[in-house]
PDB file of all heavy atoms in Angstrom:
ATOM      1  N   TYR A  89      91.882  98.212 114.500  1.00 98.00           N
ATOM      2  CA  TYR A  89      90.856  98.132 113.555  1.00 98.00           C
ATOM      3  C   TYR A  89      90.682  99.358 112.672  1.00 98.00           C
ATOM      4  O   TYR A  89      90.815 100.488 113.209  1.00 98.00           O
ATOM      5  CB  TYR A  89      89.492  97.854 114.380  1.00 98.00           C
ATOM      6  CG  TYR A  89      89.438  96.531 115.033  1.00 98.00           C
ATOM      7  CD1 TYR A  89      90.108  96.329 116.213  1.00 98.00           C
ATOM      8  CD2 TYR A  89      88.870  95.493 114.285  1.00 98.00           C
ATOM      9  CE1 TYR A  89      90.141  95.098 116.819  1.00 98.00           C
ATOM     10  CE2 TYR A  89      88.750  94.197 115.029  1.00 98.00           C
ATOM     11  CZ  TYR A  89      89.429  94.029 116.222  1.00 98.00           C
ATOM     12  OH  TYR A  89      89.433  92.830 116.737  1.00 98.00           O
ATOM     13  N   PHE A  90      90.659  99.126 111.317  1.00 97.00           N
ATOM     14  CA  PHE A  90      90.398 100.236 110.453  1.00 97.00           C
ATOM     15  C   PHE A  90      89.159 100.218 109.712  1.00 97.00           C
ATOM     16  O   PHE A  90      88.768  99.161 109.021  1.00 97.00           O
ATOM     17  CB  PHE A  90      91.640 100.187 109.566  1.00 97.00           C
ATOM     18  CG  PHE A  90      93.047 100.484 110.092  1.00 97.00           C
ATOM     19  CD1 PHE A  90      93.819  99.451 110.540  1.00 97.00           C
ATOM     20  CD2 PHE A  90      93.467 101.763 110.297  1.00 97.00           C
ATOM     21  CE1 PHE A  90      95.024  99.670 111.118  1.00 97.00           C
ATOM     22  CE2 PHE A  90      94.670 101.996 110.902  1.00 97.00           C
ATOM     23  CZ  PHE A  90      95.566 100.969 111.257  1.00 97.00           C
ATOM     24  N   CYS A  91      88.579 101.321 109.688  1.00 96.00           N
ATOM     25  CA  CYS A  91      87.402 101.567 108.741  1.00 96.00           C
ATOM     26  C   CYS A  91      87.916 102.106 107.514  1.00 96.00           C
ATOM     27  O   CYS A  91      88.805 102.974 107.485  1.00 96.00           O
ATOM     28  CB  CYS A  91      86.370 102.464 109.473  1.00 96.00           C
ATOM     29  SG  CYS A  91      84.834 102.847 108.489  1.00 96.00           S
ATOM     30  N   ALA A  92      87.357 101.759 106.364  1.00 94.00           N
ATOM     31  CA  ALA A  92      87.807 102.292 105.023  1.00 94.00           C
ATOM     32  C   ALA A  92      86.566 102.399 104.069  1.00 94.00           C
ATOM     33  O   ALA A  92      85.548 101.759 104.240  1.00 94.00           O
ATOM     34  CB  ALA A  92      88.761 101.375 104.438  1.00 94.00           C
ATOM     35  N   VAL A  93      86.688 103.294 103.180  1.00 91.00           N
ATOM     36  CA  VAL A  93      85.605 103.573 102.211  1.00 91.00           C
ATOM     37  C   VAL A  93      86.264 103.618 100.867  1.00 91.00           C
ATOM     38  O   VAL A  93      87.320 103.948 100.576  1.00 91.00           O
ATOM     39  CB  VAL A  93      84.900 104.997 102.535  1.00 91.00           C
ATOM     40  CG1 VAL A  93      85.995 105.988 102.427  1.00 91.00           C
ATOM     41  CG2 VAL A  93      83.705 105.207 101.702  1.00 91.00           C
ATOM     42  N   THR A  94      85.399 103.317  99.815  1.00 86.00           N
ATOM     43  CA  THR A  94      85.772 103.286  98.499  1.00 86.00           C
ATOM     44  C   THR A  94      84.460 103.652  97.604  1.00 86.00           C
ATOM     45  O   THR A  94      83.235 103.580  98.116  1.00 86.00           O
ATOM     46  CB  THR A  94      86.518 102.173  98.017  1.00 86.00           C
ATOM     47  OG1 THR A  94      86.987 102.399  96.613  1.00 86.00           O
ATOM     48  CG2 THR A  94      85.443 100.865  97.724  1.00 86.00           C
ATOM     49  N   THR A  95      84.610 104.020  96.417  1.00 75.00           N
ATOM     50  CA  THR A  95      83.471 104.174  95.499  1.00 75.00           C
ATOM     51  C   THR A  95      83.328 102.957  94.644  1.00 75.00           C
ATOM     52  O   THR A  95      84.143 102.057  94.678  1.00 75.00           O
ATOM     53  CB  THR A  95      83.823 105.485  94.603  1.00 75.00           C
ATOM     54  OG1 THR A  95      84.951 105.266  93.870  1.00 75.00           O
ATOM     55  CG2 THR A  95      83.843 106.663  95.518  1.00 75.00           C
ATOM     56  N   ASN A  96      82.208 102.983  93.948  1.00 61.00           N
ATOM     57  CA  ASN A  96      81.703 101.777  93.211  1.00 61.00           C
ATOM     58  C   ASN A  96      82.532 101.843  91.759  1.00 61.00           C
ATOM     59  O   ASN A  96      81.938 102.287  90.848  1.00 61.00           O
ATOM     60  CB  ASN A  96      80.389 101.700  92.996  1.00 61.00           C
ATOM     61  CG  ASN A  96      79.880 100.529  92.194  1.00 61.00           C
ATOM     62  OD1 ASN A  96      80.601  99.567  92.065  1.00 61.00           O
ATOM     63  ND2 ASN A  96      78.737 100.558  91.697  1.00 61.00           N
ATOM     64  N   SER A  97      83.741 101.597  91.823  1.00 62.00           N
ATOM     65  CA  SER A  97      84.560 101.742  90.601  1.00 62.00           C
ATOM     66  C   SER A  97      85.574 100.616  90.630  1.00 62.00           C
ATOM     67  O   SER A  97      86.247 100.257  91.562  1.00 62.00           O
ATOM     68  CB  SER A  97      85.316 103.046  90.498  1.00 62.00           C
ATOM     69  OG  SER A  97      86.298 102.949  89.608  1.00 62.00           O
ATOM     70  N   GLY A  98      85.707  99.888  89.489  1.00 58.00           N
ATOM     71  CA  GLY A  98      86.700  98.845  89.346  1.00 58.00           C
ATOM     72  C   GLY A  98      88.079  99.240  89.663  1.00 58.00           C
ATOM     73  O   GLY A  98      88.887  98.401  90.133  1.00 58.00           O
ATOM     74  N   TYR A  99      88.399 100.420  89.495  1.00 64.00           N
ATOM     75  CA  TYR A  99      89.895 100.845  89.727  1.00 64.00           C
ATOM     76  C   TYR A  99      90.007 101.756  90.921  1.00 64.00           C
ATOM     77  O   TYR A  99      90.939 102.445  91.113  1.00 64.00           O
ATOM     78  CB  TYR A  99      90.384 101.570  88.347  1.00 64.00           C
ATOM     79  CG  TYR A  99      90.419 100.711  87.315  1.00 64.00           C
ATOM     80  CD1 TYR A  99      89.483 100.650  86.284  1.00 64.00           C
ATOM     81  CD2 TYR A  99      91.396  99.621  87.191  1.00 64.00           C
ATOM     82  CE1 TYR A  99      89.598  99.843  85.235  1.00 64.00           C
ATOM     83  CE2 TYR A  99      91.511  98.679  86.148  1.00 64.00           C
ATOM     84  CZ  TYR A  99      90.517  98.897  85.170  1.00 64.00           C
ATOM     85  OH  TYR A  99      90.585  98.003  84.081  1.00 64.00           O
ATOM     86  N   SER A 100      88.984 101.729  91.700  1.00 74.00           N
ATOM     87  CA  SER A 100      88.968 102.574  93.057  1.00 74.00           C
ATOM     88  C   SER A 100      89.986 101.928  93.974  1.00 74.00           C
ATOM     89  O   SER A 100      90.323 100.910  93.867  1.00 74.00           O
ATOM     90  CB  SER A 100      87.574 102.715  93.586  1.00 74.00           C
ATOM     91  OG  SER A 100      87.240 101.428  93.993  1.00 74.00           O
ATOM     92  N   THR A 101      90.322 102.817  94.904  1.00 83.00           N
ATOM     93  CA  THR A 101      91.290 102.397  95.997  1.00 83.00           C
ATOM     94  C   THR A 101      90.587 102.806  97.354  1.00 83.00           C
ATOM     95  O   THR A 101      89.496 103.517  97.385  1.00 83.00           O
ATOM     96  CB  THR A 101      92.642 103.149  95.942  1.00 83.00           C
ATOM     97  OG1 THR A 101      92.419 104.552  95.862  1.00 83.00           O
ATOM     98  CG2 THR A 101      93.238 102.716  94.581  1.00 83.00           C
ATOM     99  N   LEU A 102      91.198 102.253  98.442  1.00 89.00           N
ATOM    100  CA  LEU A 102      90.586 102.452  99.738  1.00 89.00           C
ATOM    101  C   LEU A 102      91.102 103.676 100.469  1.00 89.00           C
ATOM    102  O   LEU A 102      92.348 103.999 100.272  1.00 89.00           O
ATOM    103  CB  LEU A 102      90.966 101.313 100.642  1.00 89.00           C
ATOM    104  CG  LEU A 102      90.207  99.938 100.185  1.00 89.00           C
ATOM    105  CD1 LEU A 102      90.939  98.790 100.901  1.00 89.00           C
ATOM    106  CD2 LEU A 102      88.905  99.947 100.602  1.00 89.00           C
ATOM    107  N   THR A 103      90.172 104.459 101.059  1.00 92.00           N
ATOM    108  CA  THR A 103      90.637 105.597 102.062  1.00 92.00           C
ATOM    109  C   THR A 103      90.332 104.991 103.361  1.00 92.00           C
ATOM    110  O   THR A 103      89.174 104.665 103.688  1.00 92.00           O
ATOM    111  CB  THR A 103      89.772 106.832 101.629  1.00 92.00           C
ATOM    112  OG1 THR A 103      89.984 107.155 100.358  1.00 92.00           O
ATOM    113  CG2 THR A 103      90.131 107.918 102.511  1.00 92.00           C
ATOM    114  N   PHE A 104      91.323 105.043 104.219  1.00 95.00           N
ATOM    115  CA  PHE A 104      91.217 104.554 105.550  1.00 95.00           C
ATOM    116  C   PHE A 104      91.043 105.577 106.591  1.00 95.00           C
ATOM    117  O   PHE A 104      91.567 106.764 106.359  1.00 95.00           O
ATOM    118  CB  PHE A 104      92.496 103.711 105.864  1.00 95.00           C
ATOM    119  CG  PHE A 104      92.575 102.403 105.143  1.00 95.00           C
ATOM    120  CD1 PHE A 104      93.271 102.291 103.915  1.00 95.00           C
ATOM    121  CD2 PHE A 104      92.309 101.266 105.751  1.00 95.00           C
ATOM    122  CE1 PHE A 104      93.303 101.201 103.288  1.00 95.00           C
ATOM    123  CE2 PHE A 104      92.408  99.989 105.104  1.00 95.00           C
ATOM    124  CZ  PHE A 104      92.963  99.911 103.866  1.00 95.00           C
ATOM    125  N   GLY A 105      90.485 105.234 107.736  1.00 96.00           N
ATOM    126  CA  GLY A 105      90.520 106.018 108.874  1.00 96.00           C
ATOM    127  C   GLY A 105      91.857 105.871 109.569  1.00 96.00           C
ATOM    128  O   GLY A 105      92.692 105.028 109.122  1.00 96.00           O
ATOM    129  N   LYS A 106      92.004 106.566 110.755  1.00 96.00           N
ATOM    130  CA  LYS A 106      93.342 106.498 111.474  1.00 96.00           C
ATOM    131  C   LYS A 106      93.405 105.300 112.358  1.00 96.00           C
ATOM    132  O   LYS A 106      94.455 105.115 112.904  1.00 96.00           O
ATOM    133  CB  LYS A 106      93.467 107.699 112.300  1.00 96.00           C
ATOM    134  CG  LYS A 106      93.716 109.008 111.384  1.00 96.00           C
ATOM    135  CD  LYS A 106      94.043 110.216 112.190  1.00 96.00           C
ATOM    136  CE  LYS A 106      94.359 111.459 111.319  1.00 96.00           C
ATOM    137  NZ  LYS A 106      94.750 112.596 112.086  1.00 96.00           N
ATOM    138  N   GLY A 107      92.328 104.535 112.465  1.00 97.00           N
ATOM    139  CA  GLY A 107      92.398 103.336 113.311  1.00 97.00           C
ATOM    140  C   GLY A 107      91.929 103.478 114.735  1.00 97.00           C
ATOM    141  O   GLY A 107      92.138 104.623 115.321  1.00 97.00           O
TER     142      GLY A 107
END
Side-chain angles (χ1 to χ4, degrees):
Chain A
Y89 292 79
F90 292 95
C91 182
V93 64
T94 191
T95 58
N96 182 18
S97 166
Y99 296 102
S100 61
T101 59
L102 290 163
T103 300
F104 287 87
K106 292 188 175 182

